[in-house]
Amino acid sequence: MAKYWTTPAVEALRADGVRISELDTSATPGFTGDKAAGVESLAERTAVLSGLQEKLYANGRSGDKRSVLLVLQGMDTAGKGGIVRHVIGSVDPQGVDHAAFGVPTPEEKRHHYLWRIRKALPRGGQLGVFDRSHYEDVLVVRVHDLVPRSEWEPRYDEINAFEQELADEDTTVVKVAMFVSLDEQKRRLRERLERPDKYWKFNPSDIDERAYWPAYQEAYQAMLERTSTDVAPWYVIPADRKWFARLAITELLVEALETLDLDWPKAGFDIQEQLRRLEQA
Amino acid sequence: MAKYWTTPAVEALRADGVRISELDTSATPGFTGDKAAGVESLAERTAVLSGLQEKLYANGRSGDKRSVLLVLQGMDTAGKGGIVRHVIGSVDPQGVDHAAFGVPTPEEKRHHYLWRIRKALPRGGQLGVFDRSHYEDVLVVRVHDLVPRSEWEPRYDEINAFEQELADEDTTVVKVAMFVSLDEQKRRLRERLERPDKYWKFNPSDIDERAYWPAYQEAYQAMLERTSTDVAPWYVIPADRKWFARLAITELLVEALETLDLDWPKAGFDIQEQLRRLEQA
């Protein structure tokens, strides 16, 4: 276990029993250090993550089909983009399969909601990252009645079956839901309106969505209760403190990769023979 | 122009007139500093690259269709992977479209050689990276007679027409060919055979390919002479010194992005009105 943690992140952050409406979004569950300790710890653990990811990639190149998939969910300004930039940005881009899921395109709408998801699954050896995911189909879709309840209601079970399939195919799924407070969201939206280098991140509809906060909390709560399974558990990330969110997700990825017990692939050739050939070539 | 450079990298490294067979692969054309200066310069220019890339991405998100495509070519051990890891790894993964082109799959073989290339082109706002590319179809294919000359010969003109198309669609193509000496390649291959964490990068056929060195030099020379155009020029990177190759390619990307004269996207909404709405939401 890493320094300053009282318990592994996979235990401290597990969604089981969490009530979103009562969540302290400025807490740092499991981590006893302050911001300075968090920043120090992040640098250390980022190096560990990068090393583990290289091993995963090396094994993938040698035919191992195991992969890891990070699923990022969270309301606007929760910090999903920052996780991609700062956490995923610390590992080799060759080993990253990144996909962002926005409003479905007309073509995507003509297909089952898992169609676009299946097309973006990580290949063997890759660290996949979904910025939003199939969970939008039980979140925004549920909150805004984009399809009738009779249609979204069965999706929870369907998603669980889908993720069991992923597990069967040796994809380790790490699902994180990031939460900021309504006040913190206001601060972050205000910053986007006050800095010309942030205007592009702002959309007037982000303000409209704030009126749906209770409905989103309810939808997130249902999602956590119905789709946090042993093969693909949800983790809840209090995200008011950006440094903690980054550290927590780094730690979850490190712990997930450690369970794979990766080693460098063995040589598929006679080393001495190849060294002799090389000297003559 | 960046510190220690006597001339912009796009001039110092331009392929025009370069004879591959006479190239000093340990040179640092255009750069007057030593390794320490190079490392310092790389840190500075990486930050500049990262900032420019974020602007490109921001504009893409706001509907701008401009993109940049880095094409990496080079023989085994030339350091293409290191460029992806260390140069491309310094920018936000959200804005990177990375594609590696290996031996064509059976499906790819049933299509025109540009089919898989077109599918992987960067979207607006993205920094695309091709680790190997359509140029394999006039390099390995030519060296090993994988198709008759009557088939590969017309490809040079076809590729030029294709890259003119890319330019017309506002994709800035930056093509770099990386070269190490035969001795340096031997050292790098030996390292892969001596370190268990590098075995996975070694393939016995890499040694066989060394016998084709003169044929590859000829194929690279023809490629540079026939496909270095004003809309998509080739740059030649002496790559025995890894620090120089990384610095040179960072610099080429910075210079390419600077020609786009990017600014932050303007707000597509009334800022004061949104600030008022936000305070009440």
Side-chain angles (χ1 to χ4, degrees):
Chain A
M1 198 157 43
K3 215 161 84 177
Y4 303 113
W5 287 85
T6 55
T7 171
V10 290
E11 290 172 21
L13 300 167
R14 181 110 182 206
D16 305 44
V18 170
R19 297 284 319 153
I20 295 305
S21 57
E22 293 158 17
L23 184 72
D24 176 0
T25 53
S26 66
T28 63
F31 187 75
T32 59
D34 58 7
K35 181 174 176 176
V39 170
E40 173 203 325
S41 190
L42 183 59
E44 276 174 34
R45 302 299 280 177
T46 290
V48 174
L49 175 61
S50 181
L52 287 164
Q53 180 273 335
E54 194 186 354
K55 275 189 186 165
L56 178 70
Y57 178 72
N59 280 281
R61 288 285 300 267
S62 308
D64 191 333
K65 66 178 202 162
R66 287 179 295 177
S67 63
V68 172
L69 174 61
L70 175 66
V71 174
L72 292 171
Q73 285 291 156
M75 292 178 54
D76 295 320
T77 78
K80 300 184 297 295
I83 296 301
V84 177
R85 186 177 180 97
H86 297 282
V87 177
I88 303 305
S90 70
V91 308
D92 189 340
Q94 295 178 92
V96 171
D97 274 346
H98 172 265
F101 297 98
V103 176
T105 62
E107 187 189 13
E108 288 169 350
K109 278 186 186 151
R110 284 192 295 270
H111 291 274
H112 188 272
Y113 69 96
L114 290 176
W115 178 73
R116 62 175 183 168
I117 303 296
R118 287 184 188 275
K119 284 204 307 174
L121 290 170
R123 295 157 288 164
Q126 297 289 112
L127 171 56
V129 183
F130 284 179
D131 181 346
R132 304 186 190 268
S133 67
H134 42 299
Y135 285 101
E136 291 296 314
D137 294 286
V138 289
L139 291 169
V140 63
V141 166
R142 172 176 166 154
V143 167
H144 288 290
D145 293 316
L146 300 184
V147 303
R149 172 182 277 262
S150 60
E151 203 167 319
W152 57 253
E153 184 69 41
R155 288 181 178 172
Y156 297 99
D157 291 341
E158 197 168 37
I159 286 173
N160 288 338
F162 168 61
E163 292 178 355
Q164 177 66 56
E165 258 182 66
L166 297 187
D168 294 343
E169 287 168 13
D170 294 331
T171 297
T172 302
V173 184
V174 178
K175 303 187 296 197
V176 306
M178 303 173 70
F179 295 97
V180 288
S181 70
L182 203 46
D183 277 353
E184 177 64 20
Q185 190 190 56
K186 185 179 277 192
R187 270 190 292 277
R188 294 184 183 183
L189 288 174
R190 197 186 292 125
E191 192 186 26
R192 293 180 182 184
L193 286 166
E194 286 171 344
R195 286 178 46 179
D197 62 335
K198 300 256 186 191
Y199 292 162
W200 64 279
K201 294 187 177 184
F202 180 84
N203 192 313
S205 68
D206 298 343
I207 296 181
D208 304 324
E209 287 295 274
R210 286 169 64 79
Y212 294 90
W213 195 268
Y216 271 108
Q217 287 199 322
E218 191 183 306
Y220 268 100
Q221 187 69 42
M223 174 191 86
L224 296 180
E225 286 172 9
R226 300 184 62 178
T227 63
S228 197
T229 60
D230 283 338
V231 297
W234 272 107
Y235 301 101
V236 169
I237 314 290
D240 281 2
R241 300 172 199 252
K242 288 181 183 176
W243 65 265
F244 177 71
R246 288 170 195 172
L247 176 65
I249 294 170
T250 299
E251 204 59 36
L252 289 171
L253 288 172
V254 165
E255 292 174 12
L257 281 158
E258 280 175 347
T259 63
L260 299 183
D261 208 10
L262 296 161
D263 209 341
W264 294 110
K266 301 230 180 315
F269 43 81
D270 181 319
I271 295 161
Q272 293 311 319
E273 180 196 339
Q274 297 303 326
L275 278 167
R276 274 192 304 274
R277 288 184 66 222
L278 178 61
E279 292 317 312
Q280 288 150 17
Chain B
M1 198 158 40
K3 217 161 82 176
Y4 302 113
W5 287 84
T6 53
T7 170
V10 291
E11 290 172 22
L13 301 166
R14 182 110 182 206
D16 306 44
V18 171
R19 295 286 320 155
I20 295 305
S21 58
E22 292 159 18
L23 185 72
D24 176 0
T25 53
S26 66
T28 62
F31 187 75
T32 59
D34 58 7
K35 181 174 177 178
V39 170
E40 172 203 326
S41 189
L42 183 60
E44 276 174 34
R45 301 300 279 177
T46 289
V48 174
L49 175 62
S50 181
L52 287 165
Q53 180 273 334
E54 194 186 355
K55 276 190 186 164
L56 179 69
Y57 179 72
N59 280 281
R61 289 285 299 267
S62 308
D64 191 331
K65 67 176 201 163
R66 287 179 295 176
S67 63
V68 172
L69 174 60
L70 175 67
V71 174
L72 292 171
Q73 285 293 155
M75 292 179 55
D76 295 320
T77 78
K80 299 184 297 295
I83 295 301
V84 177
R85 186 177 181 98
H86 297 281
V87 177
I88 303 305
S90 71
V91 308
D92 189 340
Q94 295 178 91
V96 173
D97 274 346
H98 172 263
F101 297 98
V103 176
T105 63
E107 188 190 12
E108 288 170 350
K109 278 186 187 152
R110 283 193 296 272
H111 291 272
H112 188 273
Y113 68 97
L114 290 176
W115 178 74
R116 61 176 183 166
I117 302 295
R118 288 183 187 276
K119 285 205 307 173
L121 290 170
R123 296 157 286 164
Q126 297 290 112
L127 171 56
V129 183
F130 284 179
D131 181 347
R132 303 184 189 269
S133 67
H134 42 299
Y135 285 101
E136 291 296 313
D137 294 284
V138 289
L139 291 169
V140 64
V141 165
R142 172 176 168 155
V143 167
H144 289 289
D145 293 317
L146 300 184
V147 303
R149 171 183 278 261
S150 61
E151 202 166 320
W152 57 253
E153 183 69 40
R155 288 182 179 171
Y156 297 100
D157 291 341
E158 196 168 37
I159 286 172
N160 288 338
F162 168 61
E163 292 178 355
Q164 177 66 57
E165 258 182 65
L166 297 186
D168 294 343
E169 286 167 13
D170 294 331
T171 296
T172 302
V173 183
V174 179
K175 303 187 294 196
V176 306
M178 303 173 71
F179 296 96
V180 289
S181 70
L182 204 46
D183 278 353
E184 177 64 20
Q185 190 191 56
K186 185 178 277 193
R187 271 190 292 277
R188 294 184 183 183
L189 287 173
R190 195 184 294 125
E191 191 184 28
R192 292 180 182 183
L193 286 166
E194 286 172 346
R195 287 178 47 179
D197 63 335
K198 301 257 187 190
Y199 291 163
W200 65 278
K201 294 186 178 184
F202 179 85
N203 192 312
S205 69
D206 298 343
I207 296 180
D208 304 324
E209 287 294 272
R210 287 169 62 78
Y212 294 90
W213 196 267
Y216 272 108
Q217 288 199 322
E218 191 183 307
Y220 269 99
Q221 188 69 41
M223 174 191 87
L224 296 180
E225 286 171 9
R226 301 184 61 180
T227 63
S228 197
T229 60
D230 283 337
V231 297
W234 272 107
Y235 301 101
V236 169
I237 315 289
D240 282 2
R241 302 173 198 250
K242 288 181 183 176
W243 65 265
F244 177 71
R246 289 170 194 172
L247 177 65
I249 294 170
T250 299
E251 205 58 36
L252 288 171
L253 288 172
V254 165
E255 292 174 11
L257 281 158
E258 280 175 346
T259 62
L260 299 184
D261 207 10
L262 296 161
D263 209 342
W264 294 109
K266 300 231 179 315
F269 42 82
D270 181 320
I271 294 161
Q272 294 309 319
E273 180 196 339
Q274 297 301 327
L275 277 166
R276 275 193 303 274
R277 287 183 66 220
L278 178 61
E279 290 318 311
Q280 288 150 17

